């Protein structure tokens, strides 16, 4: 009987230790799950959202009007070619920081990197403010950026802006912003074009689309003229 009494506290200790261990394992698994979800929606270089993160943020805005700005950097490739990919990465990180600063005070806003040198900003807005957000982006990018020791560059961008009203198709909104950015690129870059709501949104096919600027580049390579 005495031996049994001595065993009971030990069993209780083992049980408590088991519960603590199980709680730690559960907590660790939860942390890993959260990290995996964050990694799946985050661009590893800039810390901005990636395409999946942008989709999730726009899902959260579903049913609300919002402003969307597409930023296509001008002449980014020469930075990589001249000073190396490390310089290009440093440039992108600083650009991402400046773009996030444009939306610091806006709840439920998102900055996403959707391509090598392309970013999207989206923010809920009951009134059309996309033009002002686009102008703020151009101003934010105006200051020189140090990409290597003693080397600074000034980056410009072709910016397309659109105010999306409630219920508008997301893919068509993105296509309109992309077309506006491409128009800014055709005008020489370092500028803003806002989508004209009177022209309606472009149709988007279900199959993957060849982007407008890629089509133009292909046309030039093939020597096709309109």
């Amino acid at each position: 009987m005495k031996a049994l009494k001595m065993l009971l506290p030990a069993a209780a200790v083992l049980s408590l230790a088991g519960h603590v261990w199980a709680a730690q394992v559960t907590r660790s698994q939860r942390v890993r799950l959260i990290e995996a979800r964050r990694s799946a929606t985050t661009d590893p270089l800039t810390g901005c959202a990636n395409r999946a993160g942008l989709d999730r943020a726009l899902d959260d805005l579903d049913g609300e009007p919002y402003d969307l700005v597409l930023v296509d950097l001008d002449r980014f490739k020469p930075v990589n070619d001249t000073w190396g990919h490390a310089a290009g990465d440093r440039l992108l990180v600083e650009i991402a920081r400046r773009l996030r600063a444009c939306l610091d005070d806006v709840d439920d806003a998102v900055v996403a990197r959707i391509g090598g040198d392309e970013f999207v900003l989206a923010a809920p807005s009951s009134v059309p403010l996309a033009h002002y957000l686009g102008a703020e982006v151009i101003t934010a990018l105006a200051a020189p950026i140090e990409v290597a020791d003693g080397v600074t560059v000034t980056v410009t961008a072709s910016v397309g802006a659109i105010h999306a009203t409630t219920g508008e198709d997301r893919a068509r909104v993105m296509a309109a912003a992309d077309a506006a950015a491409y128009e800014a690129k055709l005008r020489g870059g370092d500028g803003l074009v806002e989508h004209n709501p009177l022209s309606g949104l472009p149709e988007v096919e279900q199959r993957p689309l060849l982007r407008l600027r890629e089509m133009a580049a292909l046309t030039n390579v093939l020597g096709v003229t309109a």
Side-chain angles (χ1 to χ4, degrees), residues 44-61:
L45 174 64
T46 64
C48 294
N50 57 17
R51 284 183 178 272
L54 176 62
D55 284 341
R56 179 173 294 183
L58 293 179
D59 283 342
D60 293 339
L61 292 177

Side-chain angles (χ1 to χ4, degrees), residues 58 61 64-69 103 106-110 121-127 133 162-164:
L58 293 179
L61 292 177
E64 295 183 54
Y66 60 92
D67 294 317
L68 186 140
V69 170
L103 293 174
V106 183
D107 293 335
D108 299 321
V110 62
L121 296 83
S125 178
S126 57
V127 295
L133 178 57
I162 181 172
H163 177 72

Side-chain angles (χ1 to χ4, degrees), residues 12-89:
V13 169
L14 288 174
S15 177
L16 177 60
H19 284 301
V20 170
W21 178 82
Q24 290 175 337
V25 169
T26 301
R27 188 180 303 111
S28 176
Q29 290 174 336
R30 188 181 303 115
V31 168
R32 285 199 297 269
L33 179 60
I34 292 172
E35 179 60 25
R37 287 176 176 171
R38 189 195 71 80
S39 297
T41 57
T42 303
D43 173 54
L45 174 64
T46 64
C48 294
N50 57 17
R51 284 183 178 272
L54 176 62
D55 284 341
R56 179 173 294 183
L58 293 179
D59 283 342
D60 293 339
L61 292 177
D62 191 31
E64 295 183 54
Y66 60 92
D67 294 317
L68 186 140
V69 170
L70 190 147
V71 181
D72 186 353
L73 302 182
D74 300 324
R75 294 173 291 280
F76 171 71
K77 188 175 182 295
V79 175
N80 278 338
D81 293 344
T82 305
W83 293 288
H85 289 284
D89 288 350

Side-chain angles (χ1 to χ4, degrees), residues 169 171-172 175 203-212 214-215 218:
D169 182 80
R172 297 178 68 187
E203 294 295 335
V204 178
E205 298 181 32
Q206 294 302 311
R207 62 184 177 82
L209 290 175
L210 189 65
R211 295 169 57 83
L212 289 175
E214 292 168 348
M215 291 173 64
L218 181 61

Side-chain angles (χ1 to χ4, degrees), residues 96-172:
R97 185 194 68 78
R98 295 184 185 187
L99 295 180
R100 284 195 296 266
C102 292
L103 293 174
D104 267 350
D105 299 326
V106 183
D107 293 335
D108 299 321
V110 62
V111 177
R113 182 186 178 206
I114 62 169
D117 59 353
E118 289 182 309
F119 294 83
V120 167
L121 296 83
S125 178
S126 57
V127 295
L129 296 174
H131 180 87
Y132 298 101
L133 178 57
E136 187 174 352
V137 164
I138 291 176
T139 300
L141 298 182
I145 298 174
E146 185 174 358
V147 296
D149 292 341
V151 177
T152 59
V153 298
T154 300
V155 176
T156 61
S158 301
V159 179
I162 181 172
H163 177 72
T165 59
T166 302
E168 286 186 322
D169 182 80
R170 183 185 308 172
R172 297 178 68 187

